[in-house]
mmCIF file of all heavy atoms in Angstrom:
data_model
loop_
_atom_site.group_PDB
_atom_site.id
_atom_site.type_symbol
_atom_site.label_atom_id
_atom_site.label_comp_id
_atom_site.label_asym_id
_atom_site.label_seq_id
_atom_site.Cartn_x
_atom_site.Cartn_y
_atom_site.Cartn_z
ATOM 1 N N LYS A 129 -19.838 -1.401 -21.216
ATOM 2 C CA LYS A 129 -20.866 -2.380 -21.631
ATOM 3 C C LYS A 129 -22.011 -2.416 -20.620
ATOM 4 O O LYS A 129 -23.180 -2.514 -20.990
ATOM 5 C CB LYS A 129 -20.244 -3.770 -21.766
ATOM 6 C CG LYS A 129 -19.463 -3.941 -23.047
ATOM 7 C CD LYS A 129 -19.113 -5.403 -23.254
ATOM 8 C CE LYS A 129 -18.182 -5.550 -24.445
ATOM 9 N NZ LYS A 129 -17.255 -6.659 -24.284
ATOM 10 N N LEU A 130 -21.669 -2.336 -19.323
ATOM 11 C CA LEU A 130 -22.719 -2.330 -18.288
ATOM 12 C C LEU A 130 -23.610 -1.102 -18.452
ATOM 13 O O LEU A 130 -24.834 -1.170 -18.312
ATOM 14 C CB LEU A 130 -22.083 -2.303 -16.888
ATOM 15 C CG LEU A 130 -21.518 -3.621 -16.358
ATOM 16 C CD1 LEU A 130 -20.701 -3.388 -15.094
ATOM 17 C CD2 LEU A 130 -22.649 -4.614 -16.056
ATOM 18 N N ARG A 131 -22.976 0.035 -18.734
ATOM 19 C CA ARG A 131 -23.716 1.289 -18.920
ATOM 20 C C ARG A 131 -24.717 1.145 -20.079
ATOM 21 O O ARG A 131 -25.856 1.601 -19.983
ATOM 22 C CB ARG A 131 -22.678 2.388 -19.167
ATOM 23 C CG ARG A 131 -23.149 3.728 -19.302
ATOM 24 C CD ARG A 131 -23.261 4.687 -18.177
ATOM 25 N NE ARG A 131 -22.142 5.126 -17.422
ATOM 26 C CZ ARG A 131 -22.291 5.583 -16.194
ATOM 27 N NH1 ARG A 131 -23.483 5.601 -15.608
ATOM 28 N NH2 ARG A 131 -21.263 6.016 -15.531
ATOM 29 N N GLU A 132 -24.277 0.469 -21.149
ATOM 30 C CA GLU A 132 -25.155 0.265 -22.317
ATOM 31 C C GLU A 132 -26.309 -0.676 -21.968
ATOM 32 O O GLU A 132 -27.438 -0.486 -22.370
ATOM 33 C CB GLU A 132 -24.348 -0.416 -23.428
ATOM 34 C CG GLU A 132 -23.809 0.547 -24.473
ATOM 35 C CD GLU A 132 -22.870 -0.187 -25.408
ATOM 36 O OE1 GLU A 132 -23.227 -1.287 -25.925
ATOM 37 O OE2 GLU A 132 -21.765 0.327 -25.566
ATOM 38 N N LYS A 133 -25.977 -1.713 -21.194
ATOM 39 C CA LYS A 133 -26.986 -2.729 -20.853
ATOM 40 C C LYS A 133 -28.029 -2.194 -19.876
ATOM 41 O O LYS A 133 -29.192 -2.584 -19.919
ATOM 42 C CB LYS A 133 -26.253 -3.939 -20.241
ATOM 43 C CG LYS A 133 -27.113 -5.152 -20.045
ATOM 44 C CD LYS A 133 -26.292 -6.377 -19.711
ATOM 45 C CE LYS A 133 -27.204 -7.519 -19.316
ATOM 46 N NZ LYS A 133 -26.475 -8.606 -18.676
ATOM 47 N N TYR A 134 -27.602 -1.312 -18.968
ATOM 48 C CA TYR A 134 -28.522 -0.779 -17.952
ATOM 49 C C TYR A 134 -28.553 0.749 -18.034
ATOM 50 O O TYR A 134 -28.057 1.426 -17.118
ATOM 51 C CB TYR A 134 -28.079 -1.202 -16.550
ATOM 52 C CG TYR A 134 -27.990 -2.690 -16.339
ATOM 53 C CD1 TYR A 134 -26.759 -3.344 -16.359
ATOM 54 C CD2 TYR A 134 -29.139 -3.450 -16.097
ATOM 55 C CE1 TYR A 134 -26.670 -4.717 -16.160
ATOM 56 C CE2 TYR A 134 -29.065 -4.817 -15.898
ATOM 57 C CZ TYR A 134 -27.825 -5.443 -15.942
ATOM 58 O OH TYR A 134 -27.749 -6.793 -15.738
ATOM 59 N N PRO A 135 -29.128 1.318 -19.107
ATOM 60 C CA PRO A 135 -29.081 2.780 -19.238
ATOM 61 C C PRO A 135 -29.777 3.473 -18.063
ATOM 62 O O PRO A 135 -30.822 3.009 -17.606
ATOM 63 C CB PRO A 135 -29.806 3.048 -20.562
ATOM 64 C CG PRO A 135 -30.506 1.787 -20.913
ATOM 65 C CD PRO A 135 -29.864 0.655 -20.184
ATOM 66 N N GLY A 136 -29.160 4.521 -17.571
ATOM 67 C CA GLY A 136 -29.770 5.311 -16.497
ATOM 68 C C GLY A 136 -29.531 4.778 -15.094
ATOM 69 O O GLY A 136 -29.883 5.435 -14.113
ATOM 70 N N VAL A 137 -28.954 3.574 -14.985
ATOM 71 C CA VAL A 137 -28.720 3.015 -13.636
ATOM 72 C C VAL A 137 -27.347 3.519 -13.134
ATOM 73 O O VAL A 137 -26.332 3.345 -13.819
ATOM 74 C CB VAL A 137 -28.745 1.458 -13.646
ATOM 75 C CG1 VAL A 137 -28.504 0.906 -12.243
ATOM 76 C CG2 VAL A 137 -30.066 0.946 -14.202
ATOM 77 N N PRO A 138 -27.322 4.175 -11.950
ATOM 78 C CA PRO A 138 -26.036 4.705 -11.480
ATOM 79 C C PRO A 138 -25.007 3.601 -11.203
ATOM 80 O O PRO A 138 -25.374 2.509 -10.771
ATOM 81 C CB PRO A 138 -26.391 5.459 -10.189
ATOM 82 C CG PRO A 138 -27.789 5.093 -9.854
ATOM 83 C CD PRO A 138 -28.435 4.472 -11.045
ATOM 84 N N ILE A 139 -23.751 3.929 -11.452
ATOM 85 C CA ILE A 139 -22.673 2.939 -11.256
ATOM 86 C C ILE A 139 -21.750 3.387 -10.123
ATOM 87 O O ILE A 139 -21.197 4.490 -10.152
ATOM 88 C CB ILE A 139 -21.838 2.721 -12.539
ATOM 89 C CG1 ILE A 139 -22.752 2.386 -13.724
ATOM 90 C CG2 ILE A 139 -20.796 1.634 -12.322
ATOM 91 C CD1 ILE A 139 -22.013 2.046 -15.027
ATOM 92 N N VAL A 140 -21.608 2.489 -9.146
ATOM 93 C CA VAL A 140 -20.705 2.726 -8.011
ATOM 94 C C VAL A 140 -19.506 1.798 -8.158
ATOM 95 O O VAL A 140 -19.665 0.594 -8.342
ATOM 96 C CB VAL A 140 -21.416 2.405 -6.662
ATOM 97 C CG1 VAL A 140 -20.460 2.630 -5.483
ATOM 98 C CG2 VAL A 140 -22.679 3.237 -6.490
ATOM 99 N N ALA A 141 -18.299 2.379 -8.075
ATOM 100 C CA ALA A 141 -17.095 1.533 -8.115
ATOM 101 C C ALA A 141 -16.401 1.560 -6.766
ATOM 102 O O ALA A 141 -16.147 2.631 -6.202
ATOM 103 C CB ALA A 141 -16.129 2.025 -9.183
ATOM 104 N N TYR A 142 -16.125 0.372 -6.266
ATOM 105 C CA TYR A 142 -15.276 0.230 -5.088
ATOM 106 C C TYR A 142 -13.929 0.850 -5.458
ATOM 107 O O TYR A 142 -13.503 0.748 -6.611
ATOM 108 C CB TYR A 142 -15.139 -1.272 -4.839
ATOM 109 C CG TYR A 142 -14.589 -1.715 -3.507
ATOM 110 C CD1 TYR A 142 -14.710 -0.943 -2.361
ATOM 111 C CD2 TYR A 142 -13.950 -2.961 -3.402
ATOM 112 C CE1 TYR A 142 -14.206 -1.396 -1.152
ATOM 113 C CE2 TYR A 142 -13.452 -3.421 -2.195
ATOM 114 C CZ TYR A 142 -13.571 -2.633 -1.077
ATOM 115 O OH TYR A 142 -13.077 -3.072 0.104
#
Side-chain angles (χ1 to χ4, degrees):
K129 282 191 187 148
L130 282 169
R131 184 92 62 204
E132 262 172 49
K133 189 168 171 194
Y134 302 102
V137 180
I139 307 184
V140 179
Y142 194 27

